[in-house]
Amino acid sequence: MTETIRIRPARTGDVPVIKTLVAPLAEQRILMAKETVAYYESLQEFRIAETDGGEVVGCGALHVMWEDLAEVRTLATSEAWRGRGVGHQLVEHLLEDAKALGISRVFCLTFEVEFFKKHGFDVMADQTAVDPVVYSELLRSHDEGVAEFLDLARVKPNTLGNTRMIREL
């Protein structure tokens, strides 16, 4: 019997499960671990992949960075469900969320280049995707993901080996 997956908005009760999904990937330095409070603060950005039986098997978030730019972040699937299309469903849902918000470009910082290429993302050659005026505004952000997007020196240890990718919607 094959269970189907549905994607839904995250709820406060999902935070411990999100942390559990992220933990092994953070240990492998694929994702950045965050404090519990950070998950609660950004909970409205998260989508949850859930089985018919109510088991949470994946998560992902869409973080708006600017008027026309957002980031797919914290994309994680449980080990038992990897390779079964959960990540694909989450990314497609997050891209639809971006379109609904009026976002025209979606960014990701990833080791999974081929996965994101399948979703229409291209490797960014440089940061010229951001207007210099917008770049100077983004420099004021305290968000680590924005700093990673801008390739700031203070986040280099967290981004070594990652590839910056972008998709036009």
Side-chain angles (χ1 to χ4, degrees):
M1 184 172 146
T2 311
E3 283 194 86
T4 58
I5 301 298
R6 71 180 184 100
I7 308 298
R8 63 165 174 80
R11 299 185 288 257
T12 57
D14 295 320
V15 168
V17 181
I18 292 170
K19 286 187 64 144
T20 300
L21 290 168
V22 170
L25 298 169
E27 287 173 16
Q28 297 170 45
R29 298 187 51 83
I30 293 169
L31 292 179
M32 285 182 20
K34 297 177 185 173
E35 297 296 330
T36 303
V37 67
Y39 290 114
Y40 283 111
E41 289 174 340
S42 61
L43 190 64
Q44 66 278 8
E45 299 177 353
F46 275 87
R47 296 294 176 256
I48 297 296
E50 185 176 68
T51 67
D52 292 333
E55 178 188 3
V56 174
V57 296
C59 65
L62 181 75
H63 180 75
V64 175
M65 297 169 67
W66 199 252
E67 172 184 12
D68 64 339
L69 182 66
E71 176 189 10
V72 170
R73 56 170 58 169
T74 320
L75 186 65
T77 304
S78 71
E79 181 68 38
W81 281 82
R82 288 200 189 119
R84 296 171 68 180
V86 174
H88 290 286
Q89 287 183 50
L90 282 162
V91 169
E92 289 303 315
H93 199 288
L94 294 170
L95 293 173
E96 289 301 317
D97 287 349
K99 288 177 190 173
L101 290 168
I103 301 294
S104 60
R105 298 176 300 158
V106 179
F107 157 80
C108 69
L109 181 65
T110 185
F111 290 105
E112 303 296 333
V113 173
E114 292 306 313
F115 173 85
F116 281 96
K117 278 184 177 179
K118 290 177 185 174
H119 291 279
F121 285 77
D122 295 311
V123 174
M124 291 175 63
D126 56 35
Q127 299 305 309
T128 59
V130 178
D131 178 270
V133 174
V134 173
Y135 185 92
S136 67
E137 289 289 331
L138 288 174
L139 282 173
R140 298 177 185 170
S141 174
H142 297 288
D143 185 272
E144 289 299 300
V146 173
E148 291 168 354
F149 173 73
L150 298 176
D151 202 22
L152 302 180
R154 68 181 172 86
V155 294
K156 290 285 189 193
N158 294 328
T159 61
L160 293 177
N162 280 336
T163 301
R164 285 168 181 70
M165 301 183 77
I166 198 158
R167 175 176 166 176
E168 300 282 333
L169 298 179

